[in-house]
Structure formats: C-alpha cells, structure tokens
Amino acid sequence: MIEMNEVNSKMVEALMVSCIGCKRCEKVCPSYAHGGCDPYYVMHGWDGNVKACIGCGKCSESCPATDPKTVMMHMKAEALGLSIPDSFVKHGYVIPPKDASWREGLLEVPEGDDMYLMPGCIVNGKIPHLKYAAARAFRAVGVGIRELPGNKCCMYPLPLRGMTDVERNSVKYRMRNGMHGRETVTLCSGCCNEMARGGVYTPHVSTVLARYTGRIAELPGVGGLKVALEPGCSAERFAADFEAVVRSTGAEPIGNSRGCCGKNIEGVSEALMKERQAECADADVIVVGCPNCMVFYDAVPNGKPVLHLTELVALAAGDSETQRYHRLKLDPARIKK
Ligand code: SF4
Ligand code: SF4
C-alpha cells in the first residue's frame, strides 16, 4: 500500500504551506460543485473528501501560488490505499494491455517512420482500436507512424504515486532514449502533460494534426456532421488546435460549453455526465481528445455517440472501421463513405 515516503511527504508539505488561502481552487473545482472534494480543505490538512477528486487539474490552472492538483494526487493515492499493480511490474502499464486479437478483421495500415506513437494505458488496455484510428488518420495526411518500441506508462496514474518524481521520471527518460530524436505523438493529454512534467516533449495528437488541416480539408470529409467539442480537462490548452482539426474535416461544432466527464467518482460523476449530455444534446456525436473521456462517454446508457479526434479524421478519410468497437454507434446515415 502507498504510504507517502519522505521525499514525497516533504514535497507535498511544501506545496501545502505555499497556499495563500484565496479559495480559487474551490470555485473552479467540478467535484466541489457537486458535493465532492474540497481542495481548499485538503490543502489545509483537513478532511476535504480527497477521494472524490477527479484529477482534472482545474485547481492548479487557477491557483496563483502553488500546485493543489499534485497534492490531491498524492493524498488521494494514500487515502485509497493504492499500491503499484502487478501489471506495471510485468508490462510497464497499470492496466494490462489487451491481447493482439483486438485487431482481427481490420484493414492493414502500413506503418511509417515519420513519427512514433505513444498509446498510453487506457488505449493499450481498454480501447486499442484508437491505435488503428491514429495510424489511419495520419496515413490520410501522408504521415507514417509506428508504435514507440518499448513504450510504457507515462507515470501519471495514481497507483504510481508511491514512487518519487525522480523514479517516475527515470521511466520517461528511458522512453525518450528509445525515441532517438524522432517526434512521438500521444493520444492522451494526460500522457502529454505528464511527460512534459519530466521535460520530455511528446505532443498531443491535436497539436500534431493541426499542422495538417490543409490536407485534412482535402479528404472526402464529414460535411454536415454536427459535433459537440469536449477535448477533456487536461487538453484545454490544446483546445484551439483540437477545434481547428475538427473544423477541417467539415464537421460543424454546435458551440457547446466544454466540461468534465466526471470519470468514475461516486456521487459526482453521474451529475457531471448528465450536464455534459444535456449540453451536447443537439450534436450527432461528441468528439473528445482524451481516451479516458471516451471510455466514460461510451458507457452512458442512451448517451450520445462519441468519437476520438483520430476517429473523426479517419472518418473524414472514409474509414469507419472502429465503429464496431463502440457501444454507442454513430448513425450510419451521418457517416460519409
Ligand atoms: S487556489 Fe491555490 S492558493 Fe488559493 S486556496 Fe486553492 S490551493 Fe490555496
Ligand atoms: S484536480 Fe479537479 S477535481 Fe481534483 S481538486 Fe483539483 S479541480 Fe477539484
């Protein structure tokens, strides 16, 4: 079980004492707004229901003095009594990777050497079809990608908080060494942000695809498809790129306000997801930039269908193969072949 070691304990304490008590974190926290975690309380050493923290990072984005999200991550890991999972020791991933059978029946997409792909835990373990969608999307704009050899977890997940930053960063540096200078794209904004915390640049797919909006606009496209944009909390800083890519496919954003999917926090997630579904009601489909959001949106009973950004670009190129893996399917009449 995770008990905060001395190094992490000192780091967390230093972050807590830097709090100036402005309560901005409370105002922006989606969990707090729904009766969940109170970051201000946690920062002052009180029981702020840290187990209900979603990990969205809004508190740290608005905090003028310190980094409450990092405190929440360490406190939550300790409160939940998490430990490093066997799958991390065995595979380097906190979620065991899916076996190769997921790929059966899919068209072959030739690999290329232009970029590496770092899939991340959620894609590798829960929705590996996004690897296909990414290869297809990049191939459509003339970029060949292949999976980063020996890729591992970005080291963000809570069960890894028992390690120090130095230990977690060493895994990132080993991956960087394996890149040999080649740019490596991430499908998950959490991976992108966590790698950057260790000084390793692995751009989010929104950033990279935004370089090719001219080429995407030349694809058959998805003209007329009404879309809600939900890049995901940790992808807010890529939101402009994300929207540019979506628009280049010919899809029409409905202009919804963006929000948090709520992940799987008891007593909080249901209300947050209800808000999201209501906000996106006029769309044919919700487009996300986060694999974790994708998992949660696709699990909503009678919810709106969801596409990851890579799937939208693949769709614009005429490839809807990954629809077979979705629980909530996009109306075929809306898919341009
Ligand atoms: S926003 Fe930052 S400084 Fe203000 S109360 Fe929250 S943690 Fe403290
Ligand atoms: S990470 Fe998000 S849910 Fe957690 S305390 Fe900060 S704002 Fe609230």
Side-chain angles (χ1 to χ4, degrees):
M1 281 209 327
I2 291 178
E3 276 183 26
M4 230 184 283
N5 59 46
E6 202 183 334
V7 174
N8 287 342
S9 182
K10 280 190 175 152
M11 185 255 295
V12 165
E13 198 182 313
L15 293 172
M16 288 168 80
V17 298
S18 301
C19 171
I20 57 171
C22 66
K23 293 195 174 183
R24 287 189 204 177
C25 49
E26 268 187 358
K27 291 191 183 78
V28 296
C29 175
S31 178
Y32 180 73
H34 293 85
C37 172
D38 184 334
Y40 170 80
Y41 265 54
V42 177
M43 290 300 280
H44 287 79
W46 298 313
D47 177 21
N49 193 13
V50 75
K51 288 183 187 171
C53 169
I54 303 164
C56 68
K58 291 284 165 212
C59 49
S60 287
E61 281 169 24
S62 66
C63 177
T66 180
D67 179 10
K69 180 185 171 181
T70 296
V71 175
M72 303 303 137
M73 299 278 293
H74 284 279
M75 295 295 219
K76 181 172 175 177
E78 192 173 58
L80 291 174
L82 300 177
S83 53
I84 292 178
D86 291 344
S87 62
F88 179 76
V89 178
K90 195 168 170 194
H91 306 288
Y93 275 107
V94 296
I95 301 170
K98 282 250 189 202
D99 70 66
S101 61
W102 71 268
R103 217 189 169 293
E104 277 166 22
L106 283 175
L107 301 169
E108 279 304 319
V109 183
E111 292 185 323
D113 292 321
D114 299 312
M115 294 190 85
Y116 281 132
L117 172 73
M118 179 177 161
C121 285
I122 307 285
V123 172
N124 238 13
K126 293 187 177 173
I127 45 175
H129 54 275
L130 289 195
K131 296 189 211 180
Y132 173 87
R136 197 66 187 81
F138 278 100
R139 181 54 67 184
V141 296
V143 176
I145 62 171
R146 67 174 66 234
E147 208 169 319
L148 175 67
N151 64 79
K152 303 262 186 287
C153 175
C154 70
M155 307 305 288
Y156 175 84
L158 282 181
L160 305 178
R161 298 287 147 172
M163 299 163 80
T164 64
D165 279 355
V166 171
E167 288 166 334
R168 293 191 304 111
N169 283 344
S170 70
V171 176
K172 300 173 199 173
Y173 300 151
R174 278 202 292 280
M175 276 195 276
R176 181 180 59 191
N177 292 344
M179 295 171 197
H180 300 291
R182 188 176 298 169
E183 196 168 36
T184 299
V185 63
T186 44
L187 300 181
C188 171
S189 43
C191 292
C192 171
N193 294 341
E194 180 62 30
M195 293 293 279
R197 282 176 75 94
V200 183
Y201 178 61
T202 50
H204 186 248
V205 65
S206 304
T207 309
V208 181
L209 283 175
R211 298 173 195 158
Y212 301 101
T213 50
R215 293 187 200 174
I216 295 171
E218 289 169 7
L219 299 173
V222 295
L225 192 67
K226 286 194 291 174
V227 297
L229 305 185
E230 293 287 2
C233 298
S234 52
E236 269 297 316
R237 66 194 176 100
F238 319 118
D241 285 342
F242 179 84
E243 181 164 349
V245 174
V246 170
R247 285 188 183 277
S248 69
T249 65
E252 295 167 12
I254 60 165
N256 60 295
S257 72
R258 301 190 292 262
C260 174
C261 73
K263 285 192 188 156
N264 53 352
I265 309 294
E266 207 181 324
V268 172
S269 306
E270 207 177 322
L272 275 168
M273 182 52 86
K274 209 168 160 189
E275 280 176 16
R276 291 297 91 219
Q277 292 288 328
E279 187 64 37
C280 302
D282 292 338
D284 297 315
V285 65
I286 300 168
V287 183
V288 298
C290 169
N292 217 10
C293 292
M294 175 138 183
V295 169
F296 291 115
Y297 277 107
D298 196 43
V300 178
N302 304 314
K304 191 66 75 179
V306 57
L307 292 174
H308 186 266
L309 185 66
T310 52
E311 291 182 293
L312 180 71
V313 176
L315 197 58
D319 189 331
S320 58
E321 290 281 333
T322 58
Q323 276 294 298
R324 72 177 77 167
Y325 301 101
H326 289 239
R327 206 183 61 77
L328 303 165
K329 312 235 185 262
L330 182 57
D331 177 356
R334 308 301 305 161
I335 300 173
K336 280 205 165 186
K337 294 277 183 188

